Amino acid sequence: MKRLLNGNEAFAYGAIVAGANFYAGYPITPSTDVYEFFENNGEKYHVKFVHASSEVSAVNMIMGASIAGARALTATSGCGFSLMQEAISYMAADFVPCVILNVMREGAGLGDIPRSQGDYNQMTKGGGNGDYHSIVLACKSIRDCINMPRIAFELSEKYRNPVIVTYDSDIAHTKESVEINISEIKNDTNELDWILNGNKTNNPKRIQNIYYHDKGYDNNLRNKYELIEKNEQRYEEYETSDAEIVLVAFSICGRICIDVIKKAREKGIKVGLIIPITLYPFPQNAFKKLNCCKKIIIVELNILKQMRCDVEYYTKQKYEYHSINSMSTCPTVLDILKYIEEMR
Amino acid sequence: MYDLLCEGCGHRSAMMLLDEIIQEKKIKEKTILALDVACCSLLIDFVEYDSIMCAHGRVLDVTKGYKEMKKDNVVISYMGDGAAYSIGIEEMIHSARRNDDALTIVINNGLYSMTGGQVAPTYIDSSNLGFKIEEIISNFSITYLARAALSDKENINIAKQYISTAFDKYMEKGGFSLVELLSPCPTNYKLSPKDAANMINEKITKVYKIGEFVNA
């Protein structure tokens, strides 16, 4: 069935198709459509909805539901996402899966609600305390918003780690016509072997992150992130094999850059594009295949050039790097094209 | 039993009561114990139940999420007074407001014991008036609220009776149940176990009254 959906509605439908069955949340713009969707439609699609009294409560509720075998999720933005960091760290340490949507807001503090990508560091480097990462998946289209919850739940269950899905408010509120098939819904509770259901075998299961006897804690965490970095890098690449200039951009910027390379190629400029889908693990493999690249332009919506630090680090600073970036003013196709032409 | 706890610690009495009650009611196979941090976390390697180590003050949120998905299990929310009435008071109030299916045990010793005995909101002296949960949540439509003391045999028997009632209400009627246990911390009171227990009987129970406040 074809539907005209914005990114948030598409994400909610995608979560239902992926088997979500528990949502706890607290409203915050620009993610609130997801909250409202589950508030209004949760019962219809067999998703238990809870009005949490804060983002802190919401994220701890999804932790509890996940330990009972739920496919549990919440959605938030900006400062709401900050409030969830302690529990995300706990879930990473506890090996508890969950999916959290973070629709990024502009700036620091309360900031404002235009498009922005300033949460890059917070999402990819941790955000909470201690030695952990969240897996971070970025959507660049409404189609991605439909598909990403399934990938997110699969990865979170495979590695027993929180997965953050993210995009900016342009993706959240742009409407596109997309195909959805809600008849595929499976929202039974998981019965994975680590789920708690009472000690029936004289072998109690423990969801724990403090160990007085077990010495395996550090190795378990280290192995988890080594496996994720080795196996789960995801990206899209466009015309990179002969590209002398490679654009790197995610979410709305990635979307815009697809048009940039078409226009540039029409002008005979060899431009390629890498769109990271996983922001963590950073898709460093994408850069190993560049044969002719001399210059990299990172297009991102934050003033600190947050993703550029990762690009420079993972490519060992062997290219010439440029940034097109601002807090929330999205460059147009022509802006980027002009920059490329002047840069040459 | 519970080897990491100090001598005379109220957590040991509380856990032994829970063990007895769970055994008597034959519900071990469907019991989940959700623990708060600090001294509560010292129990996790010893308990025979499926158990969860929660963030400080968030036990009631975690158990809310769990219970929504597995309604037949008995989920004990076990925490100290710092978790229940200080950092987690928001969760406590909203869980009581919603009358969540919650079986809450609060170990109240008036202090942050793991970190060395700093005063908690429950502490009482000339400048600290204490914190009485019955003054906060009794007017919500909750199922059960009681307080007992883990100070001597007689009081421990009363505690067992209250906890047992809370279990029965939780399993039969549902809704929010809370039993607060006035609990000695000899290490931080800097008293012998016997003197710490006596102080609860002689001083603490004069302010924190023992009894059932809600029994719906």
Side-chain angles (χ1 to χ4, degrees):
Chain A
M1 156 174 72
K2 280 262 184 190
R3 295 285 290 269
L4 185 65
L5 299 174
N6 73 23
N8 285 340
E9 293 160 343
F11 175 86
Y13 274 114
I16 286 168
V17 173
N21 49 13
F22 184 88
Y23 184 100
Y26 193 87
I28 179 168
T29 314
S31 71
T32 311
D33 306 331
V34 183
Y35 176 95
E36 286 183 330
F37 181 94
F38 285 105
E39 185 180 35
N40 296 329
N41 301 300
E43 205 173 337
K44 180 174 163 191
Y45 295 117
H46 312 290
V47 181
K48 178 69 198 172
F49 174 88
V50 181
H51 297 99
S53 57
S54 69
E55 285 88 350
V56 178
S57 278
V59 70
N60 282 285
M61 284 176 188
I62 68 170
M63 173 175 165
S66 185
I67 293 167
R71 283 213 162 98
L73 80 157
T74 187
T76 188
S77 295
C79 10
F81 184 63
S82 292
L83 287 173
M84 296 184 176
Q85 298 308 316
E86 182 193 35
I88 294 172
S89 169
Y90 267 72
M91 281 188 273
D94 280 337
F95 287 72
V96 172
C98 75
V99 172
I100 297 169
L101 170 67
N102 176 29
V103 185
M104 289 174 281
R105 289 168 67 110
E106 176 201 57
L110 181 60
D112 205 348
I113 56 174
R115 68 190 76 77
S116 190
Q117 299 175 342
D119 295 350
Y120 179 91
N121 279 348
Q122 186 187 25
M123 290 186 292
T124 58
K125 309 305 176 199
N129 56 299
D131 261 353
Y132 82 97
H133 280 288
S134 303
I135 297 170
V136 186
L137 300 166
C139 304
K140 65 168 191 327
S141 66
I142 310 308
R143 162 61 43 206
D144 282 0
C145 295
I146 291 254
N147 292 334
M148 213 60 90
R150 179 184 55 78
I151 298 167
F153 277 118
E154 284 172 4
L155 289 176
S156 78
E157 284 163 19
K158 182 175 176 186
Y159 294 99
R160 294 175 56 186
N161 199 72
V163 173
I164 315 295
V165 178
T166 191
Y167 43 80
D168 38 65
S169 59
D170 274 0
I171 301 293
H173 293 136
T174 300
K175 288 201 171 189
E176 288 184 301
S177 175
V178 280
E179 183 74 31
I180 53 168
N181 185 357
I182 317 180
S183 63
E184 294 168 14
I185 296 177
K186 278 190 308 184
N187 51 14
D188 303 335
T189 308
N190 281 322
E191 293 303 337
L192 303 166
D193 59 356
W194 61 269
I195 298 296
L196 300 197
N197 196 18
N199 176 9
K200 296 174 172 58
T201 57
N202 253 343
N203 186 21
K205 293 177 198 163
R206 294 172 180 136
I207 300 294
Q208 75 188 106
N209 43 67
I210 183 166
Y211 292 84
Y212 297 105
H213 298 124
D214 184 346
K215 301 293 180 209
Y217 181 45
D218 57 348
N219 273 335
N220 292 344
L221 275 181
R222 184 185 297 115
N223 292 343
K224 173 159 78 169
Y225 296 114
E226 280 176 2
L227 278 176
I228 291 170
E229 286 175 20
K230 180 164 167 269
N231 297 331
E232 304 301 343
Q233 296 177 32
R234 289 164 193 248
Y235 52 90
E236 289 178 11
E237 52 192 342
Y238 297 82
E239 310 210 33
T240 49
S241 58
D242 67 339
E244 291 166 5
I245 298 167
V246 172
L247 301 168
V248 186
F250 71 99
S251 204
I252 187 65
C253 298
R255 181 76 171 271
I256 289 166
C257 287
I258 295 173
D259 287 344
V260 173
I261 54 168
K262 283 181 200 155
K263 299 267 187 208
R265 293 268 167 179
E266 283 167 14
K267 290 173 180 275
I269 312 169
K270 288 182 177 170
V271 180
L273 168 63
I274 292 170
I275 300 181
I277 305 299
T278 51
L279 304 183
Y280 177 84
F282 188 79
Q284 53 182 302
N285 291 343
F287 297 86
K288 290 177 183 161
K289 293 187 272 180
L290 303 180
N291 301 316
C292 314
C293 177
K294 294 185 180 61
K295 296 176 181 180
I296 288 183
I297 305 173
I298 298 100
V299 185
E300 58 185 322
L301 293 175
N302 59 69
I303 51 174
L304 298 180
K305 304 175 184 174
Q306 296 180 21
M307 185 167 68
R308 176 172 169 162
C309 296
D310 273 351
V311 176
E312 287 197 33
Y313 173 78
Y314 285 110
T315 56
K316 302 187 167 54
Q317 297 190 312
K318 66 180 178 187
Y319 304 109
E320 184 183 312
Y321 299 91
H322 296 259
S323 279
I324 300 176
N325 69 306
S326 78
M327 190 181 276
S328 60
T329 309
C330 210
T332 63
V333 173
L334 294 178
D335 291 339
I336 301 171
L337 208 54
K338 186 165 168 246
Y339 186 95
I340 292 170
E341 285 177 315
E342 286 172 3
M343 184 184 78
R344 290 172 83 215
Chain B
M1 289 286 279
Y2 301 112
D3 291 350
L4 293 176
L5 300 172
C6 304
E7 194 187 348
C9 174
H11 280 290
R12 187 178 284 105
S13 322
M15 278 311 301
M16 286 167 80
L17 284 180
L18 287 173
D19 289 341
E20 273 177 39
I21 290 165
I22 290 165
Q23 197 174 11
E24 285 166 16
K25 297 188 190 299
K26 298 185 173 58
I27 51 171
K28 181 180 159 189
E29 292 187 358
K30 59 174 184 175
T31 294
I32 310 290
L33 180 65
L35 296 165
D36 201 84
V37 304
C39 296
C40 300
S41 77
L42 297 172
L43 303 168
I44 194 155
D45 282 355
F46 297 92
V47 293
E48 293 176 3
Y49 319 111
D50 279 8
S51 48
I52 309 171
M53 177 82 260
C54 306
H56 193 27
R58 313 299 165 224
V59 178
L60 283 166
D61 291 328
V62 173
T63 54
K64 166 77 174 169
Y66 185 94
K67 186 72 175 169
E68 287 290 346
M69 301 314 292
K70 290 212 187 296
K71 293 195 184 302
D72 295 335
N73 286 345
V74 174
V75 193
I76 304 166
S77 306
Y78 184 99
M79 64 197 82
D81 51 304
Y85 306 148
S86 187
I87 198 168
I89 187 61
E90 183 202 330
E91 283 74 3
M92 172 70 67
I93 287 172
H94 286 289
S95 187
R97 172 184 65 79
R98 290 185 299 252
N99 199 21
D100 288 344
D101 291 343
L103 177 54
T104 313
I105 306 293
V106 178
I107 307 298
N108 179 2
N109 56 25
L111 303 171
Y112 298 108
S113 292
M114 176 66 99
T115 48
Q118 298 77 19
V119 299
T122 40
Y123 188 74
I124 40 171
D125 63 12
S126 54
S127 56
N128 292 285
L129 301 175
F131 182 94
K132 293 166 200 152
I133 190 63
E134 65 270 28
E135 293 174 355
I136 310 290
I137 63 170
S138 290
N139 288 333
F140 291 125
S141 300
I142 59 174
T143 297
Y144 189 71
L145 176 63
R147 180 184 294 115
L150 301 171
S151 52
D152 56 34
K153 198 175 169 190
E154 191 185 332
N155 274 316
I156 288 175
N157 281 337
I158 295 170
K160 184 174 176 185
Q161 185 198 319
Y162 290 170
I163 299 169
S164 186
T165 306
F167 269 77
D168 292 341
K169 295 263 175 191
Y170 174 82
M171 290 189 286
E172 286 157 20
K173 184 170 189 278
F176 186 91
S177 293
L178 186 152
V179 181
E180 180 187 305
L181 300 168
L182 300 172
S183 173
C185 177
T187 303
N188 285 307
Y189 295 170
K190 298 183 172 47
L191 295 171
S192 69
K194 190 160 182 271
D195 289 344
N198 284 341
M199 190 187 82
I200 288 182
N201 283 346
E202 286 158 18
K203 186 177 159 199
I204 311 288
T205 53
K206 299 287 182 289
V207 178
Y208 291 101
K209 300 293 182 196
I210 287 171
E212 291 173 307
F213 305 102
V214 178
N215 190 351

